[in-house]
Amino acid sequence: EKKLTPFEVIGEDNLNRLVDTFYGLVAQHPDLAPIFPNKFTEIARKQKQFLTQYLGGPPIYTEEHGHPMMRARHLPFPVTPTRSKAWLSCMEQAMDKVELEGPIREEFFSRLYLTAQHMINTPDGGD
Ligand code: HEM
C-alpha cells in the first residue's frame, strides 16, 4: 500500500479552510496585521499553493512562483521573534477552529514551528 501524504490526509478543502481561518486571525492580530497588506486574497492563494506542496501535494507553488526560498521572500518584512510566536499562535487557533486534530496536526505544527523559527530575520524592537 502507498502511504498517504499529509496533504491527502488533511484534504484540500480542509487545508483551504485552515488558510482562510488563519488569515482571518492574522488580520486581527496587533503584532501581525501592520506588516500584511489589507487584502488577504492573494497571500491566502499563495499560502494554499505553498502548503499544498509543503505537505507532499502537487508542486503548484513552484509551478507559478519558482523556488519557494521562503526565508528570502520574507526578508522585506521584519519577522521578529514576537511575530514568529504570534504567527504560530494564529495557526494553532486556526487548527482548533477547523478541528484539525491528532497526529497529523502534531506533525504539521511541529514542521511549521521550525519553519517559523527559520523565518526570523529581525530582533525584537529592531523594526
Ligand atoms: C508571505 C509574514 C511565517 C509562508 C508573507 C508576507 C508577510 C509574511 C508579511 C508578505 C505578504 C505580502 O505579500 O505582502 C510572516 C511572518 C511569519 C511568517 C511574520 C512569522 C514567522 C511563514 C511561514 C510560512 C510562510 C512559517 C510557511 C510555512 C508564506 C508564503 C508567503 C508569505 C507562502 C507568500 C510568498 C509569495 O509572495 O509568494 N509572510 N510569515 N510564512 N509567507 Fe509568511
Side-chain angles (χ1 to χ4, degrees):
E1 273 165 47
K2 200 174 153 283
K3 197 175 176 292
L4 294 178
T5 63
F7 174 70
E8 288 167 322
V9 175
I10 293 169
E12 185 178 354
D13 288 352
N14 270 332
L15 184 62
N16 289 346
R17 250 194 301 278
L18 177 71
V19 170
D20 290 334
T21 305
F22 170 72
Y23 285 115
L25 295 164
V26 168
Q28 294 174 47
H29 197 294
D31 294 325
L32 295 175
I35 66 165
F36 279 89
N38 297 331
K39 276 203 66 180
F40 284 82
T41 323
E42 184 57 11
I43 173 121
R45 191 181 74 84
K46 288 175 171 176
Q47 187 66 275
K48 287 169 188 170
Q49 293 175 321
F50 177 77
L51 291 177
T52 294
Q53 75 182 53
Y54 185 81
L55 293 167
I60 55 179
Y61 180 90
T62 297
E63 276 165 21
E64 185 174 332
H65 311 287
H67 190 286
M69 347 174 269
M70 269 304 140
R71 193 171 193 285
R73 288 188 203 264
H74 283 74
L75 287 179
F77 309 97
V79 181
T80 59
T82 295
R83 288 200 176 105
S84 179
K85 276 197 207 93
W87 193 103
L88 288 165
S89 146
C90 288
M91 184 54 78
E92 217 166 7
Q93 288 178 61
M95 286 179 170
D96 285 344
K97 286 195 183 205
V98 304
E99 297 179 0
L100 181 62
E101 287 160 350
I104 191 71
R105 172 182 173 145
E106 303 313 317
E107 182 190 330
F108 188 11
F109 190 80
S110 53
R111 284 190 64 200
L112 289 173
Y113 178 87
L114 295 175
T115 306
Q117 295 299 111
H118 182 62
M119 252 13 115
I120 296 170
N121 55 32
T122 306
D124 276 320
D127 63 309

